[in-house]
Amino acid sequence: MPHHLRAAPNTARRIALGAAVVVVLAVLALGAVRFLGQRTTPAGTSGATGAPASSPPSGRPEGLRTTRPGAVDGMVPDYKLPPIENGMVPVITRIPTQQKVVFLTIDDGQVKRKSDLALLERDHLKASLFLAHVFIAGHSQFYQAYLDAGFRIEDHTLTHNLGFVKLPYAQVKAEICGMADYEEKYFGRRPVFFRPPGGPYTKAVRRAAAECGMKAIIDWQARANAGSMQYQVGHVLRPGDIVLMHFRPEFPMDLAAFVKAQKAAGLKVVLLEDYLGVS
């Protein structure tokens, strides 16, 4: 075969082979670019578009997230309010929690001074107010300032009868339901917690509270009284303690005693209703 006829096929084969090599190299180069692009894409974005990733990168969270549903002042509650059982509300004297929180409650409403609210706001405190009709009737506007400041008003009966547990069932129920009706009418919110006068309760009281729409009876294990702290257990405030105070002439001294004990224990005051997730 003439030389020039043998050379032509060889040249064609070399050209074809060279083109194939170029294609392979181009494919490899494109793959490398895509790989490097994925390695350098910031967390939380997807590819070159910058669109949010379909799922966030996994990792161990640091601390408690304030954005989590149910978070209270940066803490996620670790206790859930027990349900009503056998027609009776649960009784809560303290919250079993690992969080460094304490709950302030203030009773009655016998003494009414704007300066008391000013003291609470000065110390950035919020409390659950257990008010009785006999002490606050005709003064609903006074307590509106507490509501505006983020406090909650709860049920403490109509008459504050210290012999409450000895009353007939119908009267016990009337005392609780009557005060709940009053608070709903004048404060725009029906209470969810009940505190018996003096603290004692019976199964009948628990049943009446449930029938009046309460979610729990709230008692206490520590109180600020006569300018000092008094404890049923131990000698210091503990995480989850519910503290009792009263609107009395000595309120400033009682509040000072509470704040001193609260700070010494390194506890944060949180509104009980918020922590238990009830409105």
Side-chain angles (χ1 to χ4, degrees), residues 113-146:
R113 294 178 301 210
K114 292 181 179 180
S115 58
D116 291 345
L117 176 57
L119 289 174
L120 289 162
E121 291 191 302
R122 178 200 65 188
D123 291 318
H124 308 289
L125 304 178
K126 289 184 175 59
S128 306
L129 311 183
F130 288 85
L131 305 179
H133 182 268
V134 66
F135 299 127
I136 71 167
H139 297 277
S140 59
Q141 282 302 114
F142 176 84
Y143 292 100
Q144 187 61 46
Y146 283 90

Side-chain angles (χ1 to χ4, degrees), residues 77 88 112 130 132 161 173 176 180 190 198 220 233 276:
M88 295 183 292
K112 305 166 189 64
F130 288 85
N161 187 334
K173 185 176 177 180
I176 302 173
R190 191 170 184 84
W220 63 90
V233 178
L276 294 179

Side-chain angles (χ1 to χ4, degrees), residues 105-110 128-136 153-162 164 172 174-183 187 191-200 214 216-220 244-248:
T105 65
I106 310 175
D107 280 13
D108 296 352
Q110 190 169 9
S128 306
L129 311 183
F130 288 85
L131 305 179
H133 182 268
V134 66
F135 299 127
I136 71 167
I153 296 178
E154 303 295 355
D155 196 322
H156 200 37
T157 73
L158 290 172
T159 66
H160 201 268
N161 187 334
L162 293 177
F164 179 71
V172 166
E175 287 271 352
I176 302 173
C177 288
M179 189 57 187
D181 293 342
Y182 174 87
E183 292 180 6
F187 301 131
V192 295
F193 293 145
F194 172 65
R195 173 170 287 164
M214 303 297 108
I217 286 175
I218 304 296
D219 270 348
W220 63 90
L244 169 67
M245 284 182 56
H246 291 84
F247 286 112
R248 292 174 173 168

